[in-house]
Amino acid sequence: MVPYVAVLIAWALLVPNVQGQTIQPSIPAVLPANWTSVGCFSDISTSRTLAAISLVQDPMTIETCINFCNASDYIFAGVEFGPKQSYTVLSHILLNVYRFHLQECYCDSTIQIPSQPEPLTDCDMACSGNANETCGGPVRLNVFQSNQPPPVIVQSVTEGQGLWTYQGCFTDTTAARTLGTGVNIPGGTTAESCTAACQAAGGFLNAGLENGHECWCDNAIHAPTQRVGDADCRMVCSATHAEYCGNANRLAIYQFSPSGVAPGPQTCSATTLGNFTLQAQFKNPPTTGPSTVPLKVVAVEMVQNVIWTILSACTACCTEWPALSLSNSIVMPHSVVVATEQMTSTLTSDGESPNFVASVPAFPGSQTYCTVTDNAAPVGSPPLLAFNGKADAFSLCTNTSANARVDVVFSPVTGHPHYTLDSCQPINIQVIT
């Protein structure tokens, strides 16, 4: 009997190589109604770019995948060749065979992190069902989008005279639940049904959506959770694809206000303050070692007339900005080298470090900081630094691209190129005067 691999190789040699012909696979000019191409994206098997449902079959075409996703009410469809391979002569021959066989289709209503756009030339594999079309490439997806409205994180839910308000996205584990009481909702979990179920189950003040279909309730948000970026809570609800319902190990948490008045940001105790320093207070203190560590402003980039700095707990780093002040909600580090330098705080996005810039001409600064009272601490404890009214969203994360420097991050996110979320520890930032 001729070995199966030998048969494949012989057959492969007879299969025309699409890339070698004059016909180059491409995206069709006409796609199914209301769908457009949005580009080529990275994809990995451990963290899918489109993660809701999938289809693996032969033949595969762009139209097949779009119709499959559209029928399940998802707004993104992606076609992919399959796993990354090493291109030896033999694997290239086998690849030529495989490319005309099983290919993959993925659907979702969100392009999930950590996927990134890639060059269109990376998505150059011919579809098994139509050699004129491209079906992604190794660990690459051709992604298409419908014109249907995207899902949303519901921001508030009215309950009688009361109001449930979205508080943010929080980590969760089975070993230490952030909200301790799970409830079953036969009709399906949504922001509306989960908040109603938590109210009915005992008048709980917090409700949380998780993993697309879970509902959790409690009167407190328990350690060791940390607040993360909203992008981490973008799994569509199984019951309706118009809403997001947290994600795996991520809770979208809502808080109930019986008065019907949404809880606003914590009230600022000061927007202007003289010289002070900052220290990180661990929300989950280590069993050994200090419960606080000093923070410092460290330079991360210098170009002509511009210096960028961030807030860090780096013990080996030098700083020329040992003290800071707060002026009209702008944080201003003070240089001991250039006394006339004006360095000011800038806007910070989810997943990034609080940063400051000194430039010529001077940047006026972003009015986003203040101090707030630490209501959970004994009277007389240091106030906390808040960004956009949030004092509970800071973490210390190990920067994998800067010699393991430990930096402050606001609302850390999954899949960041400079740190892993598992390395992050939630903190309060205490203002020491």
Side-chain angles (χ1 to χ4, degrees), residues 46 56 101 201 235 270 371:
T46 54
V56 180
H101 282 66
M235 178 183 287
T371 65

Side-chain angles (χ1 to χ4, degrees), residues 343-427:
M343 179 172 285
T344 57
S345 54
T346 71
L347 282 173
T348 299
S349 303
D350 281 0
E352 303 303 328
S353 294
N355 56 85
F356 316 92
V357 63
S359 61
V360 179
F363 177 66
S366 175
Q367 296 174 294
T368 48
Y369 288 92
C370 71
T371 65
V372 298
T373 301
D374 187 354
N375 294 322
V379 175
S381 296
L384 303 180
L385 186 69
F387 174 78
N388 276 342
K390 299 175 183 177
D392 65 344
F394 295 106
S395 291
L396 283 179
C397 303
T398 301
N399 192 326
T400 56
S401 62
N403 297 317
R405 187 182 64 215
V406 179
D407 296 333
V408 176
V409 175
F410 178 79
S411 290
V413 298
T414 299
H416 195 279
H418 301 311
Y419 60 82
T420 61
L421 192 56
D422 289 343
S423 77
C424 297
Q425 302 177 70
I427 60 168

Side-chain angles (χ1 to χ4, degrees), residues 246-406:
N247 213 324
N249 302 316
R250 298 291 184 271
L251 275 168
I253 292 183
Y254 294 80
Q255 184 181 89
F256 184 64
S257 169
S259 68
V261 178
Q266 257 187 288
T267 302
C268 290
S269 55
T271 57
T272 297
L273 189 65
N275 282 7
F276 58 84
T277 59
L278 299 172
Q279 70 179 14
Q281 177 193 44
F282 293 105
K283 292 184 180 179
N284 308 311
T287 54
T288 59
S291 60
T292 63
V293 293
L295 299 177
K296 61 182 71 172
V297 175
V298 300
V300 292
E301 185 175 359
M302 296 183 184
V303 295
Q304 186 175 8
N305 295 327
V306 181
I307 301 174
W308 287 96
T309 62
I310 63 169
L311 199 57
S312 177
C314 176
T315 56
C317 298
C318 297
T319 180
E320 65 176 79
W321 304 273
L324 309 91
S325 64
L326 183 65
S327 177
N328 197 22
S329 296
I330 300 170
V331 174
M332 305 179 70
H334 297 292
S335 172
V336 294
V337 176
V338 183
T340 58
E341 177 186 85
Q342 179 177 317
M343 179 172 285
T344 57
S345 54
T346 71
L347 282 173
T348 299
S349 303
D350 281 0
E352 303 303 328
S353 294
N355 56 85
F356 316 92
V357 63
S359 61
V360 179
F363 177 66
S366 175
Q367 296 174 294
T368 48
Y369 288 92
C370 71
T371 65
V372 298
T373 301
D374 187 354
N375 294 322
V379 175
S381 296
L384 303 180
L385 186 69
F387 174 78
N388 276 342
K390 299 175 183 177
D392 65 344
F394 295 106
S395 291
L396 283 179
C397 303
T398 301
N399 192 326
T400 56
S401 62
N403 297 317
R405 187 182 64 215
V406 179

Side-chain angles (χ1 to χ4, degrees), residues 93-178:
I93 293 173
L94 294 176
L95 173 62
N96 205 27
V97 174
Y98 185 80
R99 72 191 300 171
F100 287 97
H101 282 66
L102 297 182
Q103 288 176 320
E104 302 159 4
C105 168
Y106 295 94
C107 313
D108 208 328
S109 288
T110 298
I111 295 178
Q112 302 288 350
I113 51 179
S115 180
Q116 296 290 331
E118 302 291 349
L120 283 174
T121 51
D122 281 11
C123 287
D124 62 351
M125 289 296 193
C127 298
S128 61
N130 185 343
N132 293 314
E133 296 182 356
T134 53
C135 272
V139 293
R140 294 292 184 268
L141 277 172
N142 275 121
V143 177
F144 305 87
Q145 182 178 9
S146 81
N147 66 354
Q148 297 301 308
V152 297
I153 296 176
V154 174
Q155 295 299 302
S156 62
V157 178
T158 300
E159 179 77 28
Q161 298 299 313
L163 183 70
W164 291 88
T165 307
Y166 176 66
Q167 297 300 297
C169 183
F170 293 79
T171 58
D172 189 34
T173 68
T174 56
R177 286 293 182 190
T178 302

Side-chain angles (χ1 to χ4, degrees), residues 3 60 62 83 135-136 150 213 225 237 246 301 331 355 408 415 431:
M60 178 65 71
I62 290 171
C135 272
H213 62 89
T225 189
C237 303
E301 185 175 359
V331 174
N355 56 85
V408 176
V431 179

